[in-house]
Amino acid sequence: MATERIQTIKRHLAGSQASGTQNNGPEKCIPKNRHTVLKWNGWGYKDSKFYVDDKTRKICFVGDRYPIGNQVLPLFKSWVETTLGVDLDVRHHSQPEISDKDLPDPIINEDFMTELNTTHISFTTDGQDRLFRAHGHTMKEIFILRESRFDRIPDLVVWPVCHEEVVKMVNMAYRHDVVIIPFGGGTSVSGALECPADERRMIVSLDTSQMNKIIWVDKENLLAHIEAGIIGEDLDKKLAEYGLCTGHEPDSYEFSSLGGWVATRASGMKKNVYGNIEDMVVHIKMVTSLGVLEKNCNVPRISCGPDIHHFILGSEGTLGVITEVTLKVHPIPECKKYGSVIFPSFEPGVKCLREITRQRLKPASIRLMDNEQFVFGQALKPEAASLVTTLMDRVKKFYVTKVKGFDVQKMCVATLLFEGTKEDVEALEKKIYNIALKFGGISAGEENGLRGYMLTFVIAYIRDLGLDYGVVAESFETSVPWNRVIDLCRNVKDRIRREVENHGIRLPPLITCRVTQTYDAGACVYFYFAFNYSGVPDPVHCYEEIESAARDEIIATGGSISHHHGVGKVRKRWLEKTISSVGLDMLRAIKQEVDPKNNFANGNLMIP
């Protein structure tokens, strides 16, 4: 025990004294020049995508990063054609990669650059690096990349390697009146990374990706102090060397950063066991224009007036740069098991999830998909490995539909993930499946649960395929009390259908939802919405108007502005109604005090 403690202290001191070095960081999934590995105009890795074979018109997923990779999806073609009216003979090609000469010229603050050149901080004005950090992943931003141009992009990208270099950068920006927009993983779906078009000062994208070290691990208190630029997948790989994990797995886990999680109040798929990011954080260090904001101790709880962590959590880059975070960490569970349950319809599934929560049973993840999403998931099944597999699938379908009488147009599925000791997992499984039986549920096996969990990471790639064939698609989420979950899902779907008709969209849209996180008082609901924009002159504007109407309906039904995506610029119009005019004035007062020159002028949160 004493030896471990000494080693912890040594790691802490080494991290503090040599925080500019890279030798104790993990092997990174994403390189410094991200556009060499990631798509410049879509989601994820360049070598991973849904692909339509030119000859057979069959759809497959190429690449070997995911279990679905390099396999034909025999049912997906029919689903795409039938559900979205897609003609696979008509492809909408993206524009070629935008060349540097077609990008806005950088605005250069000469005094700032003179001082920057006296430091050892890495920087570039390369056009592709600037463009990559000019956007997140809203449908509008991706559509612009494919067909248009951004009016404004960062003028400079910098890569600090430690907290001290961020302090230098922010002090320089303050002195020379330069704007800083922090950039973590770039996975924002709220427009948070877009540069304000009317900003005439020099804009610096401060990329935290090189701040990717675990500074120290304290196994006795189960804490880890970590630089905020580390990507989620890299973080868990490095913690695994200590037999530990964070347990935080958002859908963007492969690409999003620790600092981004804090800045947006993120939530992960396994929050039932490990909590949301605000439950995991013990200490945060943030560099502001006036200095460093942090508490003086790493303690589990402190009563010291309003919690300054809650000024930082959800601040979306408007107050400063998050540089280091102390997180609670956990031993890697000895047992991990997937499961699934099918229900005759969505409503009994919701009631089952409510009862599981009421009894305070906590599978690591439990998510309920509606019928449309269930059918979509079936369409993504790869070709059967053998005749036996095909026959077994037919037997299962016969049992569910003919013997049990489930209607294939109403049935839905819940996917489960259990983590813990073998004994705890077995006991929890038994209790949950017994509850499911009371609501008409039938166990659908471990394979379906595993496949459902895996699809979470590949579903984002489908939007790129859709855009190739004239379909726009996006997801949005909310949180809502239990007694309004069913009404909210129904009302939002109905509102979208009416808006689609009012906007003259000829073909029926895809509207689907799922319950993704559960709480004592309510749940998070995700909606997926897609439509074929054939004949629609401005599909981006059309989509934005329909989603705005859907958000109005969400709030009218008792839902929230957002559960974990944040506000950014996309949801600014609902912020005052959400937190009251007094609440908004409080946020603005903090902004004015902490950032008097508005150096963090990304325009998020209705905060100038």
Side-chain angles (χ1 to χ4, degrees):
M1 184 68 72
T3 302
E4 279 195 5
R5 188 65 181 156
I6 290 169
Q7 290 304 316
T8 295
I9 293 169
K10 284 182 176 178
R11 283 194 296 271
H12 194 170
L13 292 173
S16 300
Q17 295 167 1
S19 53
T21 66
Q22 295 293 317
N23 56 6
N24 68 332
E27 183 179 345
K28 294 177 291 182
C29 298
I30 311 299
K32 182 176 177 180
N33 301 107
R34 305 182 193 212
H35 54 276
T36 61
V37 172
L38 304 180
K39 297 187 185 77
W40 73 275
N41 64 347
W43 178 263
Y45 293 105
K46 285 183 175 181
D47 59 10
S48 302
K49 64 180 180 179
F50 286 92
Y51 171 76
V52 179
D53 186 275
D54 290 335
K55 295 180 179 179
T56 65
R57 289 295 186 263
K58 288 183 178 180
I59 301 175
C60 64
F61 190 89
V62 299
D64 56 9
R65 295 180 185 270
Y66 306 94
I68 198 176
N70 299 318
Q71 297 185 71
V72 174
L73 310 172
L75 304 177
F76 196 32
K77 174 179 180 291
S78 175
W79 182 88
V80 165
E81 292 172 333
T82 303
T83 306
L84 294 168
V86 166
D87 183 350
L88 293 176
D89 290 325
V90 179
R91 183 165 183 182
H92 298 244
H93 292 279
S94 169
Q95 66 180 338
E97 191 164 350
I98 302 171
S99 65
D100 288 9
K101 66 181 179 61
D102 292 322
L103 296 172
D105 291 331
I107 296 172
I108 299 298
N109 182 311
E110 296 294 348
D111 291 338
F112 176 87
M113 292 302 300
T114 297
E115 185 171 356
L116 179 60
N117 276 303
T118 67
T119 73
H120 298 290
I121 299 171
S122 177
F123 67 88
T124 185
T125 56
D126 176 78
Q128 297 311 307
D129 281 315
R130 293 166 54 219
L131 176 63
F132 196 93
R133 290 155 184 82
H135 63 86
H137 282 271
T138 66
M139 193 274 294
K140 174 186 174 183
E141 290 166 317
I142 300 305
F143 210 89
I144 288 173
L145 287 170
R146 290 174 60 95
E147 300 201 6
S148 185
R149 299 286 190 276
F150 287 102
D151 295 329
R152 190 76 167 88
I153 68 173
D155 304 302
L156 185 77
V157 178
V158 299
W159 288 278
V161 299
C162 62
H163 167 79
E164 290 74 18
E165 289 194 349
V166 174
V167 171
K168 286 182 184 178
M169 284 298 311
V170 173
N171 287 341
M172 288 164 50
Y174 184 77
R175 286 195 300 274
H176 300 296
D177 198 22
V178 165
V179 172
I180 288 179
I181 298 181
F183 187 93
T187 58
S188 166
V189 288
S190 66
L193 293 170
E194 281 192 81
C195 298
D198 58 354
E199 180 56 71
R200 302 322 302 158
R201 293 176 292 175
M202 181 179 183
I203 298 176
V204 174
S205 176
L206 191 153
D207 186 319
T208 62
S209 63
Q210 303 310 293
M211 298 168 56
N212 53 37
K213 298 182 293 298
I214 294 178
I215 297 174
W216 52 260
V217 172
D218 182 345
K219 295 183 74 172
E220 182 175 356
N221 293 305
L222 288 178
L223 298 175
H225 191 67
I226 309 151
E227 291 183 317
I230 195 166
I231 299 300
E233 191 171 15
D234 292 334
L235 173 55
D236 272 340
K237 283 181 180 178
K238 186 63 177 177
L239 282 174
E241 296 174 14
Y242 300 91
L244 300 170
C245 67
T246 64
H248 189 69
E249 288 188 12
D251 293 3
S252 59
Y253 169 74
E254 302 164 278
F255 309 109
S256 57
S257 70
L258 171 58
W261 298 345
V262 173
T264 57
R265 293 182 66 91
S267 179
M269 292 182 281
K270 300 193 292 189
K271 79 96 203 159
N272 285 347
V273 171
Y274 302 100
N276 293 318
I277 194 65
E278 65 270 22
D279 306 308
M280 302 169 63
V281 164
V282 174
H283 186 271
I284 309 171
K285 186 181 288 188
M286 183 171 78
V287 180
T288 76
S289 296
L290 299 186
V292 177
L293 177 64
E294 64 176 326
K295 296 179 184 178
N296 72 337
C297 54
N298 282 320
V299 294
R301 189 175 188 273
I302 183 170
S303 178
C304 57
D307 191 342
I308 62 169
H309 283 173
H310 289 285
F311 298 156
I312 302 171
L313 286 153
S315 57
E316 299 188 11
T318 59
L319 301 179
V321 183
I322 298 162
T323 57
E324 296 175 9
V325 181
T326 304
L327 285 182
K328 302 173 189 175
V329 291
H330 308 267
I332 295 173
E334 68 177 61
C335 179
K336 177 182 288 190
K337 190 171 182 181
Y338 295 90
S340 60
V341 178
I342 52 173
F343 293 96
S345 64
F346 192 63
E347 187 167 351
V350 171
K351 290 179 178 178
C352 178
L353 266 60
R354 176 68 187 105
E355 182 59 26
I356 289 169
T357 306
R358 193 193 307 273
Q359 293 192 25
R360 309 195 71 79
L361 302 176
K362 295 186 181 296
S365 173
I366 181 167
R367 296 180 296 168
L368 176 71
M369 285 154 272
D370 68 3
N371 178 257
E372 291 84 359
Q373 201 162 133
F374 170 72
V375 172
F376 169 60
Q378 296 302 300
L380 287 173
K381 276 191 170 183
E383 278 185 321
S386 67
L387 179 60
V388 173
T389 303
T390 302
L391 290 174
M392 286 302 297
D393 285 344
R394 289 175 180 173
V395 169
K396 292 174 186 175
K397 183 176 180 180
F398 177 84
Y399 175 74
V400 170
T401 59
K402 302 302 182 183
V403 178
K404 302 299 291 186
F406 281 28
D407 185 341
V408 293
Q409 295 184 341
K410 293 182 179 179
M411 60 192 287
C412 65
V413 64
T415 58
L416 294 148
L417 172 60
F418 303 95
E419 290 187 356
T421 65
K422 186 174 183 293
E423 294 76 16
D424 287 345
V425 165
E426 289 175 352
L428 186 56
E429 270 189 303
K430 184 176 180 180
K431 289 178 181 178
I432 286 178
Y433 289 134
N434 283 339
I435 293 172
L437 281 172
K438 296 176 182 177
F439 293 92
I442 303 172
S443 173
E446 189 171 0
E447 182 182 345
N448 284 322
L450 173 59
R451 201 169 60 84
Y453 203 84
M454 175 273 298
L455 287 177
T456 298
F457 297 108
V458 301
I459 196 170
Y461 287 90
I462 293 176
R463 182 174 65 181
D464 297 333
L465 176 69
L467 288 170
D468 283 343
Y469 292 93
V471 173
V472 294
E474 188 66 286
S475 65
F476 51 93
E477 36 66 74
T478 185
S479 52
V480 63
W482 278 113
N483 64 343
R484 297 186 179 183
V485 170
I486 297 296
D487 289 343
L488 182 135
C489 293
R490 181 186 61 247
N491 292 353
V492 171
K493 288 181 178 182
D494 287 346
R495 179 67 179 269
I496 291 175
R497 290 188 188 99
R498 293 198 304 273
E499 293 296 328
V500 163
E501 187 175 340
N502 293 340
H503 281 78
I505 297 170
R506 296 184 297 104
L507 296 168
L510 171 68
I511 315 164
T512 176
C513 67
R514 64 182 180 185
V515 177
T516 58
Q517 281 105 327
T518 58
Y519 300 85
D520 292 345
C524 170
V525 178
Y526 244 102
F527 290 92
Y528 292 86
F529 167 47
F531 65 87
N532 187 318
Y533 64 84
S534 174
V536 177
D538 188 348
V540 172
H541 181 67
C542 180
Y543 172 82
E544 290 180 333
E545 287 194 337
I546 295 172
E547 187 188 326
S548 291
R551 184 64 60 182
D552 285 338
E553 193 68 38
I554 284 171
I555 291 173
T557 311
S560 68
I561 187 174
S562 175
H563 173 261
H564 60 270
H565 283 168
V567 176
K569 301 174 185 67
V570 170
R571 286 175 277 279
K572 286 171 63 168
R573 57 177 275 195
W574 295 280
L575 184 58
E576 184 171 5
K577 184 175 182 179
T578 297
I579 65 173
S580 79
S581 59
V582 175
L584 186 57
D585 286 344
M586 289 175 69
L587 294 186
R588 287 173 171 166
I590 293 168
K591 167 72 171 177
Q592 180 59 42
E593 179 63 30
V594 175
D595 188 23
K597 292 185 179 180
N598 197 21
N599 295 111
F600 293 95
N602 57 20
N604 297 334
L605 294 171
M606 289 185 72
I607 304 176

